[in-house]
Amino acid sequence: MNTAATFRLEPSSPPVLHVEGDWTLRNYRALSRQIAQQRPAMNEETELTFSALTAFDTVGAKLLVDLLGVPGALRQTGEHSTLPRAWRGLLAAVAEARAIAMPKAAPPPQAWITDMLERVGMATLNLRSCTRDLLGFTGLCLQTLVASFWRPSRWRFTGVVAQVEQTGLDAVPIVSLLTFMVGAVVAFLGATVLADFGASLYTVDLVAFSFLREFAVLLTAILMAGRTASSFTAQIGSMKANEEIDAIRALGLDPVNLLVLPRIIALLISMPLLTFIAMMSGLLGGAMVCALSLDISPTMFLSLLQQDVGIRHFLLGMVKAPLFAFVIAIIGCNEGFKVSGSAQSVGQHTTSSVVQSIFVVILLDALAALFFMEMGW
């Protein structure tokens, strides 16, 4: 037997809303039409009575939420409601689902100065967090390195040799080719400018000073940041995403000693060697341009190089290579450990490691140049 469903507002003090009949799917059309035409104006003082409510289902709960609104429906799920306890959970679930589905109010527009200050503040906090994490990871690596130094059984010779091959030997062609071309370009530009002053011979000094002190180590470090730091991040990040890092810890092994230290040591070995190759390649490129454009023979080039350029310029360039290598390896490995369990995270942290490595390398190179200049070196 189908019982009609309705509601009526009794204008008493306070007003009382009577919910009656079967609030089910059978009466959906009639109830929805009545709610659209005769929805009463209610407030928090309006009392509801469900004594004549004979049936109630999900459709009825949806209609009751339409009638009362989400806040009013949620108030009827409390202990003081006259709605039978068996139906309160259903009404609460429908009301909460409606609240989630309701469009959120758009935040008020902010002034451009407020938005700019907010972005600057967020960037500052992010920089502070990244710096703190990087310093903490650096301390952890140094602690593990010192602890492993006195225990030869924990040394990873095979891992170090494999990483030296990947980071050093495989990078020789690209490093030598790039620095050779840059050396040729620097020599050509120097010869073009200095020819107007009748000082073409000083092109040799220009190429030698620029490559021995700055260009060789800086270009090598930037290449290693793009090639090696990204590789470290991708390798460790993939292991982190595949839960291989957790498996290493479950076996009682230290991931820092197993994965990070061989990469740091390998880059500390490879970077000075690559820097030396870059110096020689840059000088070779400059010598080729001098021989072809300025009629400066290789013998004269070497004679001027020996006469005008001291050994300290070579040492100042080489001393920066281990520092850059350590920074690049630390940043690449640290970003790898930050990867979460998704391929997108691997890509994001790989990009971040390259950007951070290049930025820190250029910053350290600028500080070193200022320090050497103040020291008169």
Side-chain angles (χ1 to χ4, degrees):
M1 179 178 181
N2 186 16
T3 305
T6 186
F7 60 88
R8 54 187 178 86
L9 183 64
E10 180 180 338
S12 57
S13 183
V16 179
L17 180 67
H18 298 274
V19 179
E20 304 171 346
D22 289 355
W23 282 60
T24 58
L25 179 61
R26 290 178 177 272
N27 299 317
Y28 172 78
R29 182 172 298 179
L31 275 173
S32 60
R33 188 183 304 114
Q34 184 181 3
I35 291 172
Q37 296 175 355
Q38 305 176 9
R39 182 173 181 177
M42 297 177 294
N43 51 42
E44 294 183 0
E45 297 181 355
T46 304
E47 296 182 358
L48 276 77
T49 176
F50 299 94
S51 58
L53 183 64
T54 56
F56 193 69
D57 62 4
T58 305
V59 174
K62 183 263 182 188
L63 293 170
L64 190 59
V65 172
D66 292 341
L67 176 64
L68 304 178
V70 173
L74 290 175
R75 284 196 296 271
Q76 299 307 313
T77 60
E79 294 294 332
H80 301 289
S81 174
T82 60
L83 183 68
R85 188 180 300 272
W87 294 335
R88 291 179 190 174
L90 177 61
L91 180 61
V94 174
E96 291 172 359
R98 178 63 65 86
I100 295 174
M102 289 177 62
K104 300 295 187 298
Q110 294 182 348
W112 66 270
I113 185 66
T114 304
D115 185 64
M116 183 187 69
L117 292 176
E118 181 180 356
R119 289 176 179 270
V120 171
M122 293 178 62
T124 304
L125 292 176
N126 188 31
L127 176 62
R128 174 190 172 188
S129 177
C130 291
T131 304
R132 182 181 58 194
D133 294 343
L134 182 60
L135 292 176
F137 187 74
T138 302
L140 177 62
C141 292
L142 291 176
Q143 178 186 4
T144 307
L145 181 62
V146 172
S148 301
F149 182 78
W150 306 105
R151 299 179 181 178
S153 61
R154 301 180 64 180
W155 295 356
R156 308 289 177 179
F157 291 105
T158 304
V160 171
V161 172
Q163 291 298 327
V164 167
E165 180 183 2
Q166 294 178 10
T167 61
L169 186 60
D170 293 347
V172 169
I174 183 64
V175 170
S176 57
L177 178 61
L178 178 65
T179 52
F180 177 83
M181 292 188 295
V182 173
V185 170
V186 170
F188 180 77
L189 293 177
T192 303
V193 175
L194 295 175
D196 297 335
F197 302 95
S200 299
L201 286 177
Y202 288 102
T203 303
V204 178
D205 296 345
L206 174 64
V207 174
F209 280 113
S210 61
F211 268 87
L212 293 180
R213 293 180 68 101
E214 295 294 336
F215 280 174
V217 65
L218 186 59
L219 290 174
T220 304
I222 292 175
L223 282 174
M224 290 298 99
R227 182 182 181 276
T228 305
S230 60
S231 175
F232 288 174
T233 304
Q235 291 170 0
I236 298 178
S238 298
M239 296 179 68
K240 182 74 177 298
N242 294 331
E243 300 182 355
E244 295 178 41
I245 304 295
D246 297 333
I248 291 174
R249 291 194 177 98
L251 292 173
L253 301 175
D254 184 7
V256 176
N257 183 53
L258 188 65
L259 302 175
V260 179
L261 292 189
R263 288 171 167 82
I264 294 177
I265 296 172
L267 202 56
L268 287 173
I269 297 172
S270 302
M271 189 75 175
L273 299 177
L274 290 173
T275 301
F276 178 78
I277 293 174
M279 290 178 179
M280 297 301 104
S281 298
L283 293 176
L284 181 61
M288 184 191 69
V289 172
C290 290
L292 297 178
S293 300
L294 304 177
D295 293 330
I296 299 177
S297 64
T299 303
M300 184 182 297
F301 185 92
L302 292 176
S303 176
L304 292 172
L305 184 66
Q306 183 179 6
Q307 176 182 345
D308 298 338
V309 182
I311 189 64
R312 75 175 189 277
H313 303 294
F314 169 77
L315 297 178
L316 291 179
M318 292 296 296
V319 77
K320 292 185 287 187
L323 177 61
F324 291 169
F326 182 78
V327 169
I328 292 170
I330 286 291
I331 292 176
C333 295
N334 183 41
E335 290 297 317
F337 279 103
K338 290 182 180 179
V339 171
S340 60
S342 65
Q344 181 181 4
S345 179
V346 175
Q348 290 175 348
H349 287 283
T350 301
T351 304
S352 177
S353 69
V354 174
V355 173
Q356 289 184 43
S357 300
I358 294 176
F359 174 79
V360 175
V361 162
I362 294 176
L363 177 63
L364 291 177
D365 185 72
L367 294 176
L370 292 175
F371 175 75
F372 295 154
M373 182 180 65
E374 292 296 328
M375 297 298 294
W377 295 347

